[in-house]
């Protein structure tokens, strides 16, 4: 049984349970959503109607929530008389159904039945539960916009790998992607740029046509609802105070007007760290409170991501307004000014029953008590945050930034950063060894990040994500041994079958032999970094 991620415990017996036209579903209380999902997916793949059936009949899939199991824990039993999927909650039942789909073979991931196909499940019992509660993937739709249908497909791919957090990077210098009705120019102006750098920022190549798009509030509601049906939480990211040129282009008063002519700024058309940051004024705070008020209406998630990374302080150093604010607040320097800015929104979100999370730069200058940290610049930020009593999501750039290249070969498309092979990702360990058990409890989980500067479309996202995201999913879900002791050969063996599932889903993954000709980008320069990445 070539299952990914690897279940905690599997017992196989001889024989199979064969599904026929009469195969139906008994959905207990709380499992109706999983039954709906099975009829839509397995019903399409098999051609079976999967009607409601009573438990005293044979040839039935029994779905039930079982007290005593952990929230996302499940038990899958395939017996000669029928199939049982029990979960500690509706989420656990759903993950068990995902495992059952894998047991049916790659054709169960198709959208229409193949003629003559026989459907059978191996007689087995699986007991399984995740290692981490936060098993996330960040998708950047600001640098290159992904239309709604692509986002919904991406959520299906996350669900198929038992990943349960979708970090939705919605705003940046290069585009604002969510409709805010109070401030229509954020999308009227901020969602479009005149042209786009092709390749790394040092590349001489440009795509000389406008690029952009945004999600209406109804689009967002649909995405959030679609994710919720798959037991995925959508965590939105609205970047402050850096990475904000698109917002400043739409509303110039948000920038440091006493330093630069913000009316001359447009949505940024290249990549890198942008010097144009938000002004630390009351007007800016009120504006973004208005933004977050609408964001909270759209996203019911516990956490709201506010970015906080890569905020150059040069304009604040030159700005009389910013310097006056530092004196007025009795702050030491510009780092403490950013901490004050982030702290304002931490208090604002806390008062509304939500929690702030930001990139590890929010540690600089002091961090508000309730805030959580996405540790991206290696392990150090996560270690510092956990030791200070803050919750942490481990997503170190050197380990799980999937925009980094997968091989050192010259044919890799637009090679960025360190080489992070499939095996490297499989041997990633989210919990730093130097943490004590009490400190380690602050590690909520882990997340892989997909920054799209050099991923111009869905196929490029697929190529960078897969198959490495399958390895990451196993790290996040399965109770694997220490990195050096992990059985990568067994993972590769199971992955050989998993490629068939990805093929059926239409995923443009990187083949183990290297990129196909149409996946290459000859002549488009990247920014490869030689040598092994630092492990700190």
């Amino acid at each position: 049984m070539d299952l990914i991620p690897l279940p905690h415990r599997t017992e196989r017996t001889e024989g199979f349970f064969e599904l026929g036209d009469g195969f139906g579903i008994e959905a207990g209380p709380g499992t109706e959503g999983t039954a709906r999902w099975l009829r839509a997916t397995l019903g399409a793949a098999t051609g079976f109607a999967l009607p409601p059936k009573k438990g005293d009949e044979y040839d039935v899939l029994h779905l039930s929530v079982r007290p005593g199991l952990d929230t996302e824990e499940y038990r899958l039993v395939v017996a000669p008389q029928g199939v049982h999927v029990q979960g500690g909650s509706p989420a656990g039942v759903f993950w068990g159904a995902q495992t059952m789909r894998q047991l049916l073979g790659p054709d169960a991931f198709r959208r229409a039945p193949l003629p003559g196909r026989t459907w059978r499940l191996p007689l087995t019992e699986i007991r399984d539960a995740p290692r981490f509660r936060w098993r996330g993937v960040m998708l950047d739709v600001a640098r290159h916009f992904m239309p709604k249908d692509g986002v919904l497909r991406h959520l299906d791919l996350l669900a198929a790998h038992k990943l349960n957090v979708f970090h939705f990077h919605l705003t940046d210098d290069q585009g604002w992607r969510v409709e805010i009705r109070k401030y229509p120019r954020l999308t009227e102006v901020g969602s479009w740029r005149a042209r786009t750098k092709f390749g790394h920022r040092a590349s001489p190549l440009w795509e000389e046509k406008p690029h952009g798009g945004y999600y209406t509030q109804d689009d967002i509601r649909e995405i959030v609802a679609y994710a919720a049906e798959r037991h995925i939480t959508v965590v939105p990211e609205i970047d402050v105070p850096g990475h904000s040129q698109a917002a400043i282009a739409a509303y110039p008063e948000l920038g440091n007007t006493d330093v630069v002519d913000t009316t001359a700024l447009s949505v940024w058309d290249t990549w890198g760290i942008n010097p144009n940051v938000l002004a630390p004024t009351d007007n800016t705070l009120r504006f973004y409170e208005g933004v977050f008020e609408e964001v909270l209406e759209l996203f019911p998630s516990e956490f709201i991501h506010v970015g906080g990374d890569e905020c150059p302080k040069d304009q604040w150093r030159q700005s009389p307004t910013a310097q006056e604010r530092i004196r007025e607040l009795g702050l030491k320097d510009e780092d403490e000014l950013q901490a004050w800015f982030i702290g304002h929104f931490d208090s604002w979100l806390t008062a509304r029953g939500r929690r702030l999370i930001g990139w590890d730069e929010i540690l600089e200058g002091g961090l508000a008590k309730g805030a959580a940290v996405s540790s991206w610049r290696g392990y150090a930020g996560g270690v510092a945050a956990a030791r200070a009593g803050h919750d942490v999501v481990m997503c170190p750039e050197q380990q799980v930034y999937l925009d980094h290249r997968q091989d050192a070969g010259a044919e890799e498309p637009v090679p960025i950063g360190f080489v992070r092979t499939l095996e490297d990702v499989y041997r990633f360990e989210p919990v730093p060894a130097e943490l004590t058990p009490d400190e380690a409890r602050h590690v909520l989980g882990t997340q892989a990040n997909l920054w799209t500067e050099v991923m111009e479309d869905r196929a490029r996202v697929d190529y960078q994500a897969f198959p490495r995201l399958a390895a990451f999913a196993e790290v996040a879900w399965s109770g694997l041994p220490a990195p050096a002791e992990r059985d990568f050969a067994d993972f590769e063996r199971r992955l050989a079958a998993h490629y068939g599932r990805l093929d059926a889903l239409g995923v443009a993954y990187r083949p183990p032999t290297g990129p196909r000709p149409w996946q290459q980008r000859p002549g488009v320069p990247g920014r490869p970094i030689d040598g092994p990445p630092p492990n700190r």
Side-chain angles (χ1 to χ4, degrees), residues 298-337:
L298 294 169
F299 297 94
S301 55
E302 174 186 3
F303 289 96
I304 303 294
H305 208 291
V306 301
D309 61 316
E310 296 180 328
C311 178
K313 310 300 191 298
D314 293 343
Q315 289 184 357
W316 288 356
R317 292 186 186 99
Q318 299 168 33
S319 164
T321 302
Q323 292 303 309
E324 175 58 29
R325 176 123 280 185
I326 288 174
R327 287 190 294 272
E328 168 194 314
L329 295 169
L331 304 176
K332 183 174 66 175
D333 55 18
E334 290 76 19
D335 284 343
E336 288 195 358
L337 183 61

Side-chain angles (χ1 to χ4, degrees), residues 49-276:
L50 305 179
K53 296 188 88 171
K54 293 182 180 179
D56 55 357
E57 299 180 66
Y58 287 88
D59 211 16
V60 177
L61 167 61
H62 308 266
L63 304 176
S64 60
V65 174
R66 177 184 171 187
L69 297 179
D70 288 342
T71 301
E72 293 187 279
E73 184 179 358
Y74 71 87
R75 182 183 178 199
L76 168 61
V77 178
V78 182
Q81 298 82 13
V83 184
H84 295 261
V85 177
Q86 300 172 331
S89 71
V93 176
F94 182 73
W95 303 132
Q98 288 283 4
T99 298
M100 188 189 79
R101 187 189 190 190
Q102 287 197 17
L103 289 175
L104 284 168
D107 287 345
F109 292 78
R110 295 185 179 276
R111 296 186 183 181
L114 297 178
R117 179 70 164 83
T118 299
W119 298 97
R120 62 182 193 171
L121 291 163
L123 301 183
T124 187
E125 180 175 343
I126 295 173
R127 297 172 182 261
D128 200 10
R131 179 184 180 191
F132 293 111
R133 62 174 270 205
W134 186 301
R135 306 180 303 280
V137 176
M138 190 284 305
L139 178 65
D140 165 23
V141 296
R143 273 52 177 267
H144 278 100
F145 179 66
M146 182 178 285
K148 181 184 67 176
D149 64 330
V151 174
L152 299 179
R153 171 184 177 269
H154 193 73
L155 289 168
D156 279 327
L157 294 176
L158 267 57
H161 292 83
K162 299 186 175 72
L163 296 163
N164 71 339
V165 176
F166 177 50
H167 176 167
F168 206 7
H169 184 82
L170 288 164
T171 74
D172 218 295
D173 299 303
Q174 296 85 2
W176 185 284
R177 306 293 179 217
V178 55
E179 177 189 20
I180 302 297
R181 290 175 177 164
K182 188 173 183 177
Y183 305 120
R185 285 176 60 83
L186 286 172
T187 46
E188 290 170 359
V189 174
S191 69
W192 290 92
R193 58 179 181 261
R195 63 175 186 166
T196 299
K197 176 68 71 173
F198 198 53
H200 183 253
R201 64 178 174 272
S203 166
L205 305 175
W206 294 88
E207 186 176 35
E208 298 284 353
K209 69 177 184 180
H211 175 86
Y214 68 92
Y215 310 102
T216 68
Q217 293 202 356
D218 281 344
D219 290 338
I220 293 292
R221 291 186 183 95
E222 181 182 358
I223 288 167
V224 169
Y226 194 87
E229 288 180 351
R230 287 146 183 80
H231 300 278
I232 295 170
T233 299
V234 183
V235 175
E237 180 178 355
I238 305 295
D239 246 314
V240 296
H243 287 293
S244 298
Q245 184 161 318
I248 296 169
Y251 291 92
E253 66 272 20
L254 296 174
N256 294 283
T257 57
D258 54 354
V259 177
V260 295
D261 179 9
T262 56
T263 63
L265 296 177
S266 59
V267 178
W268 212 26
D269 57 12
T270 189
W271 322 124
I273 298 176
N274 191 309
N276 295 300

Side-chain angles (χ1 to χ4, degrees), residues 368-434:
K369 183 179 179 181
V373 172
S374 300
S375 185
W376 77 273
R377 294 180 298 176
Y379 288 96
V383 170
R387 285 178 172 167
H390 294 283
D391 289 338
V392 179
V393 175
M394 295 302 302
C395 48
E397 173 188 18
Q398 302 89 340
Q399 313 300 326
V400 288
Y401 268 36
L402 300 186
D403 45 303
H404 282 213
R405 58 193 173 133
Q406 306 183 60
D407 189 87
E411 73 279 5
E412 285 301 309
V414 200
I416 298 294
F418 294 103
V419 173
R420 291 286 81 196
T421 66
L422 179 68
E423 183 171 0
D424 290 332
V425 174
Y426 192 69
R427 297 194 188 280
F428 163 61
E429 172 49 48
V431 180
E434 59 264 46

Side-chain angles (χ1 to χ4, degrees), residues 14 287 375 466:
E14 290 188 14
F287 183 96
S375 185
F466 292 100

Side-chain angles (χ1 to χ4, degrees), residues 19-49:
L19 281 65
D21 284 331
F23 188 66
I25 299 175
E26 180 192 30
T31 72
E32 298 86 355
T34 296
R36 237 182 352 260
W37 175 81
L38 284 166
R39 291 188 178 101
T41 53
L42 289 190
T46 62
F48 300 152

